[in-house]
Amino acid sequence: MSAAAIEVPGPADVLEARNLRVTFSSRRSAAPARAVDDVNLALGRAEIIALIGESGCGKSTLARALVGLVKPQGGQVISQGAPLKYSKAALRQHRRSVQLVLQDPAGALNPRHTVYDLVAEGPRLHGLTGNLYERVCTALTQAGLRPPEQFLARYPHQLSGGQQQRVVIAGALALEPSVLVADEPVSSLDASARGEVLRLLIDLRDTLGLSALVVSHDLGLAWNIADRVAVMYLGRIVELGTVEEVLLRPQHPYTRALLSILPGRRSAQTLTLLQGEAPDPAAIPGGCRFHPRCPLYAEKADDPRAQWCRERDPQVLPALSDSHLVACHFAASGAPDNPTAPPASAVGA
Amino acid sequence: MSGTHEPAEGAGPTPPLLEISDLRVSYEVGSRSVKAVRGVDLLVRSGEALGIAGESGSGKSTLVMSFLRLLPATATVTGRVSYHGEDILTMNWGRVRAVRWAGASMIFQGAMSALNPVRTIATQISEPILLHEKVSPRTARARAAGLLSDVGLPATRLDAYPHELSGGQRQRAMIAMALACDPDLIIADEPTTALDVMVQAQILQLLKDLTANRSVGLVMISHDLSVLAEVCDRLAVMYAGSICEIGPTGEVRTDPRHPYSAALLDAFPVIGDPASRRQPRGLPGDPPDATATAPGCPFAPRCAVVMPSCADHEIELWPAGPQRQSSCLRVLPEFAADRPNVNQRPDGAMASVTERNPGR
């Protein structure tokens, strides 16, 4: 963490989801899709969290709810220590401090605008027009487009994919946010640009004390840049901890399966290939939502705890930043001898 | 196979499944000539899986599209694409149509756009069977059902439309289509790119099983070396329209002999490797200019271990060990003293050839 970040007064967590629920109702089925189904997550100052999961697990919806683009049906988004109000003025203020960076820079940038106009758009909308030129140049410099004057008059098609993503990030930085929420920021980029953009996110954290929530399906990205990892499955965070804890000592069978299928790692670890795709969020299985695909449950069908998997929803993980948390009945420490122990547990110290 | 080739005359050796020699593809854009593929030689034997890695613009898609003459008419293709000894580039169209699907088939990226949205899976899988073989629609449908179960889809999905299938199921249906006429060569263009990690692993496993069980040749392209390594026996890395390195998969991954291959490998970290923790590695510099005609190594402007000779020395694929070739000057004996530096990282950290990440 950078020294500058620590000096700034205010709450330790800059952005928090508290028992957040987002549902989408469908025309056909009566049951709404529970995209985000009771999630706690706290992003600390100058912290990078990687939110990992399969498509359809609700990770993008959670990100959009944190930015204030989706209004939750339950729970709260806590921004700078206060619950987010969904009035126009409050949202405006919130979206200035929490900036969204999208997946595909070519789609996010208007092809008929110059880099200057693209970066200046946010400040103009927020009425920050004093010293606009300087503000744009500073943002471009911070995003690694140096010297900025060289890029101002260019159009998106004159830039490489990595440079385009830097312009998107510069557009966010021009508003001096405290948090970047980046949804798959490198998945549409080439391998050589990937590292450059990830490096930039680390640099911004180190120099500006910027926090980031990076949504991705890529565990390698978490290893590259994140401080903590949250693994999401079907609307719920199932494992949370530091990168080293979660990726090197995974406790949840879903995290283990995700790690086992990484190309190039299979020789060292047995391959756990989950069958099929994640179930419909409108029909989340009862008990533990992962049990129909869980290799551990299949293996331990005779274990008394397997009944819990079918009948009891594991406790929702709290937003603790200093513990390795797992929502799994089998990972729960002491659970077999002490059935009253809470099913969610902190693993290790 | 189904009679798509005739053995060479006399007692000579059987021609290889696919042999590409000096393939060049260019497009005329205005007054400029865009050279997408600049002289590629490749050999694919029956039952072998070859992976071609490269970034967007490297020419890998253009290369494999030219194998089956799928490029637009604006492309100028020269060289030879020899399929069982027969040059596809000079075949008449009737023969090309016979080879497509029945001899060599293609799995396209993005099954949603490659499948026809208004026709059922059964119709689409049966179509090449009915076109290429004299069978009844009933037999074709039965064959389609068998193919679906081969790729892990229940036969009850036969009458589904593409939009009723998930992404992974659509990709499986695409693979079933590619297998429909029992080809001996399958070309897969980024077959898992649009898919989720778990589904990607399932599809890679399927491709691996299919190549092992049916002894078909597979040419698969991807931007991700680790994906190719899951399935392929040999890897070729493309940069600026040329192959810059080729060799057995394991050796290329653990001991790349071209700085560009090393950079591509470093872009995707190995979890647990302390060298990549909080150290994402990119490749600075601009992608190559496809209209450039300058001599020398096209990678030189971005290369971390560039030498003065790189700017003007004629570049070709030189032997770099048994079954291996690289177009880096440093594999030549006269530059061999510097060879360990091929693995120098852009951030200045050094990793010798032997130290380099044995777990990979």
Side-chain angles (χ1 to χ4, degrees), chain A residues 100-117:
Chain A
L100 185 64
V101 174
L102 290 167
Q103 173 172 4
D104 178 16
L109 297 173
N110 185 330
R112 300 183 60 157
H113 284 188
T114 61
V115 167
Y116 181 83
D117 286 328

Side-chain angles (χ1 to χ4, degrees), chain B residues 236-270:
Chain B
V237 180
M238 275 188 88
Y239 188 78
S242 307
I243 289 175
C244 65
E245 172 160 13
I246 185 164
T249 300
E251 293 178 32
V252 173
R253 292 188 81 211
T254 50
D255 175 21
R257 293 286 167 81
H258 195 287
Y260 179 64
S261 319
L264 264 193
L265 283 165
D266 274 342
F268 297 96
V270 174

Side-chain angles (χ1 to χ4, degrees), chain A residues 22 34 70 79 99 146 167 185 195 228 284:
Chain A
V22 181
R34 289 183 276 164
V70 179
S79 176
Q99 282 285 311
R146 301 186 189 99
V167 172
R228 287 198 291 147
I284 293 178

